[in-house]
Amino acid sequence: MENTEKGTFITLFYLVFNTISSIVIVLLNKWVYKYVGFPNLTLTFLHFIVTFCGLVLCQKCNVFTVKSVPLKDMIPLAFAFCGFVVFTNLSLQNNTVGTYQVAKVMTTPCIIVIQIFFYNKDFPLRVKLTLIPITLGVFMNFYYDIQFNILGTIYATLGVIVTSLYQVLVSQKQHELQMNAMQLLYYQAPLSALILLMIIPVFEPISTTITIHWTAEVVGLVASSCITAFFVNLSIYWIIGNTSPLTYNMVGHIKFCLTVLGGVLLFKEPFHVNQGVGIILTVFGVTAYAHVKRFLLPPSSGPHQFKLLSDLRSTAGCCLSTSFP
């Protein structure tokens, strides 16, 4: 009885911890972009470095074991990982928090489209129908967002496409190499950091970072962003391994709504009533999708029969600077 209560308490702790850290990382990054003007690629680079250091520490504490794999197998994954985090962060930088959160939900239909056209995977009509309220809700939010801008829309679109490709690629690699999320990330983080190190001087001259007024507050904000990103990854890894996909999905809805609310309250972002309708439609569509997936779809099998979004989240695992709803 005591073990059961202890297990319940630990699970609840991780769920609350993940919810808080996931909301904080989005709002914290938005604050760093908006009020500090910190360069996007440089912040992402620092996230990769801190995450790798954290993974080394976890490995030393026997949280996971490092599996030896050829680096050539990790390079495509590192490029996709790099693009996924950079574009989603650029979307956060150039959109309101609400629009940024809603746009990420389009990963669901995008992954399904990729699987249909490139992996010949078929989906029941009910699954396809759940994509209608998701897509309509996202469109309504963008259309009625008072701060709508073309550049933000482009970054959000690229973020969805690259994130979807990355998640499908990770699912495939995990199956081929028999590695879990943290084992994959152990290679992805340093390789992606190296990639960014080569392109940062081109897009973000060193003077951009140097000219920032480096106060103790700024250093604390950047450090907190990096550390929180790692904690998000760690808690996601534990939750996926110790709870059901339904639990993870429901917690995701809570994070989604609270993050949007946090953006409105913290950054005084205008919120049109039709955006609220769009968000309700989006949440309804995602909930219906999760329900259909759980009760109607048979388990996936075979090398190219990838599981759907909640399982892809588990293999993609760590969403460094961002967190999926």
Side-chain angles (χ1 to χ4, degrees):
M1 183 69 177
E2 289 183 2
N3 289 337
T4 302
E5 290 179 355
K6 183 179 179 181
T8 302
F9 175 78
I10 293 174
T11 300
L12 182 62
F13 170 79
Y14 273 100
L15 289 171
V16 173
F17 182 76
N18 174 258
T19 300
I20 294 174
S21 57
S22 297
I23 295 169
V24 167
I25 188 61
V26 174
L27 300 179
L28 190 56
N29 283 351
K30 182 67 175 181
W31 188 280
V32 170
Y33 292 140
K34 185 172 183 178
Y35 297 117
V36 177
F38 202 87
N40 180 285
L41 295 181
T42 302
L43 182 63
T44 305
F45 169 78
L46 294 175
H47 280 200
F48 289 156
I49 294 298
V50 172
T51 294
F52 178 65
C53 292
L55 288 172
V56 171
L57 181 61
C58 286
Q59 187 264 329
K60 297 295 183 183
C61 296
N62 297 317
V63 175
F64 73 102
T65 57
V66 175
K67 184 173 181 178
S68 180
V69 294
L71 283 181
K72 63 180 179 63
D73 290 332
M74 292 291 107
I75 291 176
L77 203 56
F79 272 100
F81 182 55
C82 207
F84 137 60
V85 177
V86 167
F87 282 124
T88 49
N89 278 348
L90 285 170
S91 173
L92 175 61
Q93 186 176 1
N94 291 274
N95 290 308
T96 61
V97 172
T99 295
Y100 157 80
Q101 282 289 99
V102 172
K104 289 191 301 180
V105 180
M106 283 302 294
T107 304
T108 309
C110 192
I111 287 176
I112 290 179
V113 169
I114 290 173
Q115 292 187 83
I116 290 174
F117 285 97
F118 294 97
Y119 294 98
N120 298 317
K121 184 173 175 62
D122 190 29
F123 293 91
L125 178 61
R126 292 188 184 183
V127 171
K128 297 175 182 177
L129 289 176
T130 63
L131 303 183
I132 295 175
I134 293 176
T135 305
L136 180 60
V138 172
F139 174 78
M140 284 185 65
N141 186 81
F142 267 90
Y143 184 81
Y144 289 105
D145 188 346
I146 298 175
Q147 296 183 18
F148 172 81
N149 64 90
I150 299 297
L151 185 61
T153 303
I154 292 173
Y155 284 139
T157 303
L158 289 173
V160 167
I161 294 172
V162 177
T163 298
S164 303
L165 292 172
Y166 167 74
Q167 291 189 3
V168 171
L169 181 60
V170 167
S171 183
Q172 183 179 18
K173 284 296 181 183
Q174 187 181 32
H175 177 85
E176 291 176 357
L177 302 173
Q178 294 299 301
M179 298 171 69
N180 63 38
M182 294 188 84
Q183 289 173 325
L184 284 176
L185 191 61
Y186 184 84
Y187 287 96
Q188 289 172 226
L191 286 174
S192 296
L194 184 61
I195 293 169
L196 282 183
L197 191 60
M198 292 186 289
I199 66 175
I200 282 176
V202 178
F203 295 97
E204 295 176 356
I206 190 67
S207 58
T208 305
T209 306
I210 294 177
T211 53
I212 291 176
H213 188 47
W214 286 96
T215 62
E217 181 183 2
V218 170
V219 172
L221 285 170
V222 173
S224 298
S225 175
C226 295
I227 294 170
T228 305
F230 174 70
F231 282 147
V232 171
N233 299 331
L234 196 61
S235 57
I236 283 176
Y237 178 78
W238 192 93
I239 289 171
I240 289 172
N242 293 275
T243 64
S244 68
L246 181 62
T247 299
Y248 185 69
N249 193 276
M250 290 303 103
V251 171
H253 295 339
I254 295 173
K255 290 189 288 188
F256 175 88
C257 295
L258 291 179
T259 304
V260 173
L261 178 62
V264 173
L265 297 178
L266 188 61
F267 301 104
K268 310 299 182 189
E269 295 175 348
F271 193 77
H272 194 282
V273 64
N274 287 328
Q275 283 182 265
V277 175
I279 289 175
I280 292 173
L281 277 173
T282 302
V283 173
F284 171 77
V286 173
T287 303
Y289 170 85
H291 175 81
V292 169
K293 176 186 175 297
R294 186 180 184 215
F295 294 104
L296 297 181
L297 292 185
S300 300
S301 60
H304 297 306
Q305 298 300 304
F306 301 125
K307 295 181 182 180
L308 298 182
L309 184 60
S310 62
D311 300 309
L312 282 167
R313 282 172 175 155
S314 70
T315 57
C318 313
C319 307
L320 286 170
S321 308
T322 57
S323 61
F324 281 91

